[in-house]
Amino acid sequence: MSLVETLIVPRTSDLGDGVTVRRALPSAQRRTVGPFVFLDEMGPVSFEPGAGMDVRPHPHIGLSTVTFLYEGAMMHRDGAGNVQEIRPGEVNWMTAGRGIVHSERSPAAQRSAGQRIAGLQLWVGLPSQHEETDPGFVHYGLDAQPIVEGEGVRAQVVAGSLFGKTSSVRTLSPLFFGDIVMKPGSTVVIPAEYEERAAYLSRGSVEVDGQVYQPGQLIVFAAGQPVTVRAVDNVRFAILGGEPLDGPRFVWWNFVSSRKDRIEQAKADWQRDRFSQIVPGDETEYIPLPAPKV
């Protein structure tokens, strides 16, 4: 029996300003891994002095957003008044619940000097009992996330539990998310504690079950068996998963819900300014609702 259930090669999208993302979830092959309903890898992209990343204010419902940077810095602002710069290895965990608006832009200092930015953006679908919870935002520094090191392997336990360590990042469902860096020839065993597990390769190649996988691929592992990952060269990948959500989720634009009518309500709320588009410190613009596809 193969240790790999599905291999996903992300589609690439251009967000403008020279920023491209590779979207691994959702995909035609797989909509979710554990409670994770969305996975984008952005960059790496270099900005000249005076330029930067500008994700204008936009809404979310029914999910938690997780921003995890490999390089550069971003400034988070949201409608509740939270303002937080995020740097590599730190975690911005924003729970949208019944609805929140936020923006992410290059900080002023990095915009002035120019910077290179790369990282992951993930969405965690909320359990149905928490979909309409009050929105919230928590920033976690490096001290909240345990580090596990072995021969040629360094693993940062970003959220949940992994390799016998538990992160201080608070979640609303059983999940795990880790950042793993490996030297050539080293190995790591991904435990079979959770039903759904996957690895997203950002750098280098790995061998699993006799097959070599390349950067920019999401490897979804079969359930029930530990998986040995061997680094072919210098490697970095995210490992993520957990228990499946308590039912299917509908994803449209930035909205996630177990109910289609709730998605329609969110569309109408954003269109009719019932969301409160204003983000303090970022009041002058926002992203309009996308036009329906013909």
Side-chain angles (χ1 to χ4, degrees), residues 28-289:
Q29 299 101 309
R30 182 108 187 188
R31 305 298 297 176
T32 61
V33 175
F36 291 89
V37 300
F38 180 95
L39 169 58
D40 264 5
E41 182 185 24
M42 57 182 174
V45 59
S46 296
F47 292 103
E48 296 295 327
M53 177 172 283
D54 288 295
V55 181
R56 295 170 292 156
H58 58 281
H60 289 286
I61 66 164
L63 56 83
S64 292
T65 66
V66 188
T67 302
F68 189 82
L69 294 181
Y70 295 144
E71 300 180 66
M74 292 178 67
M75 184 67 75
H76 164 97
R77 289 184 173 87
D78 64 43
N82 296 296
V83 179
Q84 177 65 55
E85 183 172 330
I86 179 172
R87 292 183 173 275
E90 300 175 345
V91 173
N92 275 4
W93 196 285
M94 184 184 77
T95 297
R98 58 183 167 77
I100 196 168
V101 181
H102 77 133
S103 66
E104 289 181 304
R105 300 183 186 264
S106 294
Q110 284 77 8
R111 188 182 297 271
S112 176
Q115 72 164 332
R116 178 178 158 102
I117 193 164
L120 303 177
Q121 175 98 156
L122 306 100
W123 298 352
V124 178
L126 298 178
S128 56
Q129 69 190 77
H130 295 298
E131 284 187 300
E132 298 298 323
T133 193
D134 290 340
F137 172 85
V138 185
H139 176 80
Y140 297 91
L142 293 173
D143 57 349
Q145 305 158 63
I147 302 295
V148 180
E149 294 187 277
E151 293 186 12
V153 179
R154 182 183 186 276
Q156 180 176 335
V157 184
V158 180
S161 298
L162 193 62
F163 307 129
K165 300 289 185 178
T166 300
S167 169
S168 298
V169 173
R170 180 176 176 268
T171 69
L172 294 173
S173 57
L175 60 80
F176 67 94
F177 171 36
D179 175 42
I180 298 181
V181 178
M182 303 173 67
K183 293 181 179 179
S186 61
T187 61
V188 66
V189 177
I190 308 302
E193 298 172 37
Y194 292 96
E195 182 178 344
E196 299 190 353
R197 302 162 296 160
Y200 181 81
L201 276 170
S202 289
R203 184 182 72 212
S205 302
V206 299
E207 180 184 342
V208 177
D209 202 18
Q211 178 70 42
V212 175
Y213 298 92
Q214 305 298 329
Q217 295 181 336
L218 179 69
I219 311 164
V220 182
F221 302 119
Q225 301 181 73
V227 177
T228 298
V229 178
R230 185 182 73 85
V232 176
D233 41 29
N234 288 307
V235 164
R236 186 171 200 170
F237 65 90
I239 183 75
L240 63 142
E243 295 305 313
L245 287 162
D246 53 355
R249 290 299 185 273
F250 302 101
V251 180
W252 189 90
W253 192 38
N254 301 311
F255 305 138
V256 175
S257 180
S258 59
R259 297 164 30 218
K260 284 186 177 180
D261 64 308
R262 183 64 179 91
I263 299 280
E264 295 303 315
Q265 178 191 333
K267 291 181 188 179
D269 288 346
W270 186 245
Q271 241 176 348
R272 296 168 188 169
D273 199 16
R274 292 197 295 252
F275 239 108
S276 179
Q277 273 91 330
I278 299 301
V279 172
D282 200 349
E283 300 94 343
T284 60
E285 53 183 358
Y286 62 89
I287 300 176
L289 193 77

